[in-house]
Amino acid sequence: MSEPVITPELIASHGIKPDEWERLLGILGRQPSFTELGIFSAMWNEHCSYKSSKIHLKKLPTTGPQVICGPGENAGVVDIGDGPDGTRLAVIFKMESHNHPSYIEPHQGAATGVGGILRDVFTMGARPIAAMNALSFGLPSHPKTAHLVKGVVEGVGSYGNAFGVPTVGGEVRFHRSYNGNCLVNAFAAGLADADKIFYSAASGVGMPVVYLGAKTGRDGVGGATMASAEFDDTIEEKRPTVQVGDPFTEKRLLEACLELMASGAVISIQDMGAAGLTCSAVEMGDKGGLGIRLQLDDVPQRETGMNAYEMMLSESQERMLMVLKPELEAVARAIFVKWDLDFAIVGETIPEDRFLILHGNEVKADIPLSKLSSSAPEYNRPWVPTPAAAPLGDVPKIGAIAGLRALIGSPSYAHKAWVYEQYDAQVGADTVVAPGAGAGVVRVHGTGKALAFTSDVTPRYVKANPVQGGRQAVAEAYRNLIAVGAKPLATTDNLNFGNPEKPEIMGQFVGALQGIGEACIALDMPIVSGNVSLYNETDGSGILPTPTIGAVGILASLDELIAGRPVTGDLAVVLGETRGHLGQSALLAEAFGIEAGDAPPVDLVAERKAGEFVLANRKAFRACADLSDGGLALAAFEMAEVAGLGLALDAGDTPTLFGEDQARYLVAVAPTGLTALIAAAKAAGVALTVAGQFGGDQVRFGADGAALADLSALYRSAFATTVGL
């Protein structure tokens, strides 16, 4: 079959800009072949090269005494101390997006997002122990929203449940900016011995390059390039770029890879994710300073007549690429035969700086390998700071209980059982705190330790004030870990933004990274892995900037866990200072459709002081929650409702109840413990306010009240009812 003629239209369809085309020609010294064009397109697109973001990502804090491996590998690696036999243990984790595929084909897009992030973790030698997801959808009234919600949640659940990893946390939000571009961010974490981490850099000349796992098909061809472009009215034509996942094959691949790693046969290993065979081979060669020769005739294929372009760009799932110790080939092959998975030597490492692709006795590509990865284009795109938000002005009046109803009756703040009950949170039998009760907590099997997981961001804040919004995303993740008694360890980020070629969008990105970096330093939570997802726009309309922060914390013992519920007579106590900040608040957004004013300021010194106070005094209270969206009113209602108790708060005014001041926690305290807690707070310089009391069957805010049963019924039914599920 003859290859297409390289035309300006074909070049543009591969996402290669005119200046990049000239750069490509300079590297090759000739016109590229069709396969070479595809390879450059895959490796130089936004999704793989980070060409618009790399210059700014370098500013993030990525190191610390707890960090074993920061960004640049498949996932981040953080030391968590001794294991059951005295060996050092590490938690390995990352978050990645699968936004565009999930909008086109929600079930498979979300499912393969889960599969991909799990491979990122176990390709480094870790057994996955926890998963989360952060989901952003359009308005409930939008004609596609119910379809997307149903498909994405089914996809996440079906893959994670079948693979056998507990889904322990996440978030779901709705906003009109996601009408044409939902966000599906998937997180996974695993455990490994700290001295048995596997990396992707190839080493040694003439070493076999081995293909592992499932066969290659045509699904997902061009997926990474598609993920680096805006959507328009040709969206349905992109459906073939969505991959198809098989969690049962991935489970076998996990077990085979861990057995293979234990055999000592692995020199380096890399999962085949975005851009498939191309990206995995190039990254292994580039990190090791070697070239790679591939013979595509030897690639296991599940379809006939595949050409070199299709094989190099296929994003078929459940595949790995490995550089093998040749003397252990028979051992390695036997492991994959046992697990009924493909094992094929498809090439070798070479000393020259070449990416040499052979197929059918023809050279299909011959490219300087280093120019594809570390020498990819890098842009310092023009950006403008986000203008300061106008003052909020007068806030419409609303009754206290009416304001609460507006929040708990909206799908963004209603009870999310409809979502998380479709996920298996208990597989593995180590889940201590399941979804719906703050940060998820999972035991470190065989030890007394546990790990806590959360993901957080408030996109309204980021749009109004990217620096403060970036700070707040990290601070809220910090508070959610603290609230279950965990010491925050480190973070991963999933930076979802619109078109970086628009200076105002790039300004949001730069500002958010500044805030994230400041908070990570102040709260000792370095970024150890992450993902950038740009061009989240449809017909020129972008999403709210959504830099999701995934965070991990540690409990040295389950005795440190804060997971109780208030009992009748407990006092509702606020730790931290309340000023009544209503700008960009959930109340205004949900009750009045108003998104105005500035984001709440984030005092990072106050955040750390309040967090350390909670950990130091955890025995003094029965339950704890951070105050964020919805302020005191929503947090107090949620704490009371899960305990089946009524609640009476002294305040009835909107700023005190619904203000979203940061660095605050709500704790449930027995009356007999109040005096000692007040003294401790005074000594630590932390503000403390007794806000009310738990008990009865009514929810009362000042003089306004309603039956708990009535409010609970609304809270627990609103998600499915409002979204039309």
Side-chain angles (χ1 to χ4, degrees), residues 333-559:
R333 186 183 297 275
I335 291 169
F336 275 75
V337 169
K338 181 181 78 172
W339 286 101
D340 193 24
L341 293 165
D342 278 293
F343 179 101
I345 295 176
V346 296
E348 65 176 350
T349 58
I350 57 178
E352 302 87 5
D353 180 23
R354 296 174 74 189
F355 192 38
L356 183 60
I357 310 301
L358 308 173
H359 187 223
N361 297 317
E362 292 182 28
V363 174
K364 294 296 185 180
D366 189 353
I367 303 169
L369 187 144
S370 64
K371 303 298 183 184
L372 289 168
S373 183
S374 55
S375 299
E378 185 174 315
Y379 298 122
N380 186 3
R381 295 198 184 278
W383 62 276
V384 295
T386 299
L392 179 58
D394 293 335
V395 174
K397 295 192 181 307
I398 189 169
I401 296 298
L404 178 65
R405 286 183 183 276
L407 290 176
I408 64 176
S410 73
S412 290
Y413 302 105
H415 199 262
K416 301 297 192 304
W418 186 93
V419 176
Y420 63 70
E421 286 179 356
Q422 297 186 52
Y423 306 150
D424 188 341
Q426 297 296 340
V427 62
D430 280 321
T431 303
V432 179
V433 178
V441 179
V442 176
R443 274 184 292 264
V444 178
H445 198 70
T447 76
K449 301 175 185 177
L451 291 168
F453 304 97
T454 187
S455 70
D456 298 285
V457 67
T458 305
R460 292 188 312 276
Y461 295 172
V462 186
K463 183 175 183 183
N465 188 328
V467 176
Q468 293 297 334
R471 284 180 162 202
Q472 193 276 339
V474 177
E476 186 174 347
Y478 173 85
R479 292 197 302 271
N480 276 325
L481 296 176
I482 294 282
V484 295
K487 177 188 176 183
L489 277 179
T491 54
T492 181
D493 58 21
N494 203 147
L495 306 173
N496 307 275
F497 288 81
N499 186 342
E501 297 168 49
K502 297 177 178 178
E504 64 275 16
I505 300 297
M506 204 63 216
Q508 292 174 351
F509 185 89
V510 173
L513 254 66
Q514 177 188 329
I516 289 169
E518 291 169 354
C520 287
I521 291 170
L523 301 176
D524 193 18
M525 298 169 67
I527 297 272
V528 298
S529 59
N531 172 245
V532 178
S533 175
L534 303 177
Y535 295 96
N536 288 290
E537 301 204 0
T538 299
D539 295 327
S541 179
I543 60 163
L544 286 178
T546 311
T548 307
I549 299 295
V552 178
I554 189 165
L555 295 101
S557 163
L558 281 175
D559 292 339

Side-chain angles (χ1 to χ4, degrees), residues 647-658:
L647 167 75
L649 295 182
D650 299 330
D653 63 291
T654 296
T656 302
L657 289 171
F658 298 99

